[in-house]
Amino acid sequence: MTQDISTTEQRPYHHGDLHRAIVRAALDVLSESQSTEFSLRELARRAGVSHNAPYKHFADKRELLAAVSAVGFELLAKKMTDATKKLDSPRERLAAMARAYVCGGVNNPALYRLMFGGYLAGQDNGRPAIERTAANNMKAQIVDAICDGALGRLIPNTAANTRTIDGAILIFWSQMHGLTLLLVDGLVGPSDRIEELTENVLQGMLDGLANCIPTVPEGVWIGPPPAK
C-alpha cells in the first residue's frame, strides 16, 4: 500500500498565503517526526517567516492543529475520491474508500491520531468547527456509497433511514478504525500483508452488513460530535 495522507498533492504556496504556509509546515513536521510536540516558532522557521507570524492566523497551537486535522480530512477525502473514480459498483466504491482509509492511517499515524483521537476535543467534548466540517464532507462519501446500494440494497438518504445509515457507518468505521490502529501499533501483521489483511476484514464486514444492518439507538450520533 503506497497511498498515504500526505502533503505531496498540495498546491505550491506563496509566502503571501501565510495561513497555508504554516499549515503545510505543520503537516511536514508531523509526517517527519510523527509527533505533535512542535512549536509555532519551529513552523515559522520552516516557512521562512518571523516567529510571531503564525499568531496572525492562529490564536494558539490547538487552533493550528484543528486546521491541520481539517486538511488531513480533505486529503483523505481526495484519496477516497481518486480511488473510486473509475468504479461504478457502489460496493466496489465503498471497498476502495476503506482501503484508502486504512492506507492513510497506516502511512501517517500521527496525523491519523490527530484526526480521530481526542486531542482536539474541548471541555464540552466538541471539536473545532473547521475540522468538523471537513470530517463531515469525508463522511458524506461513505454515506453516498451506502445509500447507492453498497450493502446490497438501496437505502434512500432520508430522515426515516438515518438510524439505519448510521448503523452501517458505525460498523464500517469501527472495523476500519480498529484495523488501522491494530496495524499502526503492530498488533496485527506482518507489515507486508497489510493489503491482504485489509481485504479479508473488509469483505467479511461488507458481507455481514449485506445480511443485517444494526439500527443505532435513538439519540445516538456517529462522529464527529454535533456542535453544542
Coordinates of all heavy atoms in Angstrom, one line a residue, residues 2-3 13 17 25 54-56 68 75 97 103 108-109 122 132-133 137 142 175 197 214 220:
T2 N 0.7 2.1 -1.0 CA 1.5 3.2 -1.1 C 0.8 4.6 -0.8 O 1.4 5.6 -0.7 CB 2.2 3.3 -2.5 OG1 1.2 3.3 -3.5 CG2 3.1 2.1 -2.7
Q3 N -0.5 4.5 -0.8 CA -1.3 5.8 -0.6 C -1.1 6.2 0.9 O -1.0 5.4 1.8 CB -2.8 5.5 -0.9 CG -3.1 5.4 -2.3 CD -4.6 5.2 -2.5 OE1 -5.2 4.6 -1.7 NE2 -5.1 5.8 -3.6
Y13 N 2.6 27.0 -2.4 CA 2.1 28.2 -1.7 C 3.1 29.3 -1.9 O 4.3 29.1 -2.1 CB 1.8 27.9 -0.3 CG 3.0 27.5 0.6 CD1 3.9 28.5 1.0 CD2 3.2 26.2 0.9 CE1 5.0 28.1 1.8 CE2 4.3 25.8 1.7 CZ 5.2 26.8 2.1 OH 6.3 26.4 2.9
D17 N 0.5 33.8 1.3 CA -0.5 32.9 1.8 C 0.0 32.3 3.1 O 0.3 31.1 3.1 CB -0.9 31.8 0.8 CG -2.1 31.0 1.2 OD1 -2.6 31.3 2.3 OD2 -2.6 30.2 0.4
A25 N 3.7 23.6 6.7 CA 4.9 23.3 7.5 C 4.5 22.3 8.6 O 5.3 21.4 8.9 CB 5.5 24.6 8.1
P54 N 2.9 33.3 12.7 CA 1.8 32.3 12.8 C 0.6 32.8 13.7 O -0.5 32.5 13.4 CB 2.4 31.1 13.5 CG 3.9 31.2 13.1 CD 4.2 32.6 13.1
Y55 N 1.0 33.7 14.7 CA -0.1 34.2 15.5 C -1.0 35.2 14.8 O -2.1 35.6 15.4 CB 0.5 34.8 16.8 CG 1.2 33.8 17.7 CD1 2.6 33.6 17.6 CD2 0.5 33.0 18.5 CE1 3.2 32.7 18.4 CE2 1.1 32.0 19.3 CZ 2.5 31.9 19.2 OH 3.1 30.9 20.0
K56 N -0.7 35.6 13.6 CA -1.6 36.4 12.9 C -2.8 35.6 12.3 O -3.8 36.2 12.0 CB -0.9 37.1 11.7 CG 0.3 38.0 12.1 CD 1.0 38.6 10.9 CE 2.1 39.5 11.3 NZ 2.9 40.1 10.1
V68 N -4.8 21.8 10.7 CA -4.0 20.6 10.2 C -4.9 19.4 10.0 O -4.9 18.7 9.0 CB -2.8 20.3 11.1 CG1 -2.1 19.0 10.7 CG2 -1.8 21.5 11.0
L75 N -7.5 15.7 2.5 CA -6.5 14.9 1.8 C -7.0 13.4 1.7 O -7.0 12.8 0.7 CB -5.1 14.9 2.4 CG -4.4 16.3 2.3 CD1 -3.2 16.3 3.2 CD2 -4.0 16.5 0.8
M97 N -12.9 3.0 -0.8 CA -12.7 4.0 0.2 C -12.1 3.4 1.5 O -11.3 4.1 2.2 CB -14.1 4.6 0.6 CG -14.8 5.4 -0.5 SD -16.4 6.0 0.1 CE -17.2 6.3 -1.5
C103 N -5.0 2.8 4.4 CA -3.6 3.2 3.9 C -3.2 4.5 4.5 O -2.1 4.7 4.9 CB -3.7 3.3 2.4 SG -3.8 1.8 1.5
N108 N 0.6 7.5 7.9 CA 0.9 8.7 8.6 C 0.1 8.6 10.0 O -0.9 9.3 10.2 CB 0.5 9.9 7.9 CG 1.1 11.2 8.4 OD1 1.5 11.2 9.6 ND2 1.2 12.2 7.6
P109 N 0.6 7.8 10.9 CA -0.2 7.5 12.1 C -0.4 8.8 13.0 O -1.5 8.9 13.6 CB 0.7 6.5 12.9 CG 1.5 5.8 11.8 CD 1.8 6.9 10.8
G122 N -12.8 19.7 23.1 CA -12.8 20.7 24.1 C -13.4 20.1 25.4 O -13.7 19.0 25.5
R132 N -14.6 19.7 12.0 CA -15.9 19.0 11.9 C -16.5 19.1 10.5 O -17.0 18.1 10.0 CB -16.9 19.6 13.0 CG -18.1 18.8 13.3 CD -18.8 19.3 14.5 NE -19.2 20.7 14.4 CZ -18.7 21.6 15.2 NH1 -17.8 21.4 16.1 NH2 -19.2 22.9 15.0
T133 N -16.4 20.2 9.9 CA -16.9 20.4 8.5 C -16.1 19.5 7.6 O -16.8 18.8 6.7 CB -16.7 21.9 8.1 OG1 -17.5 22.7 8.9 CG2 -17.2 22.0 6.6
N137 N -17.7 16.2 5.4 CA -17.5 16.1 4.0 C -17.0 14.8 3.6 O -17.4 14.2 2.6 CB -16.7 17.2 3.4 CG -17.3 18.6 3.5 OD1 -18.6 18.7 3.6 ND2 -16.6 19.7 3.5
I142 N -18.9 8.2 2.1 CA -19.3 6.9 2.6 C -20.8 6.7 2.6 O -21.4 5.7 2.2 CB -18.7 6.6 4.0 CG1 -17.2 6.7 4.0 CG2 -19.1 5.3 4.6 CD1 -16.5 6.7 5.3
Q175 N -14.8 -1.2 12.2 CA -13.9 -2.2 11.7 C -12.7 -1.6 11.1 O -11.6 -2.0 11.3 CB -14.7 -3.0 10.6 CG -15.8 -3.9 11.1 CD -15.3 -5.1 11.7 OE1 -14.2 -5.6 11.4 NE2 -16.1 -5.7 12.5
L197 N -4.7 -8.4 4.7 CA -5.4 -8.3 5.9 C -6.6 -7.4 5.8 O -7.7 -7.7 6.2 CB -4.5 -7.8 7.0 CG -3.5 -8.8 7.5 CD1 -2.4 -8.1 8.3 CD2 -4.2 -9.8 8.4
P214 N -27.4 -3.1 11.7 CA -27.9 -2.8 13.0 C -28.4 -1.3 13.0 O -27.7 -0.4 12.6 CB -26.8 -3.0 14.0 CG -25.6 -2.9 13.1 CD -25.9 -3.3 11.7
V220 N -28.5 8.6 19.4 CA -27.0 8.3 19.2 C -26.5 9.1 18.0 O -27.1 9.1 17.0 CB -26.8 6.8 19.1 CG1 -25.3 6.5 18.7 CG2 -27.1 6.1 20.4

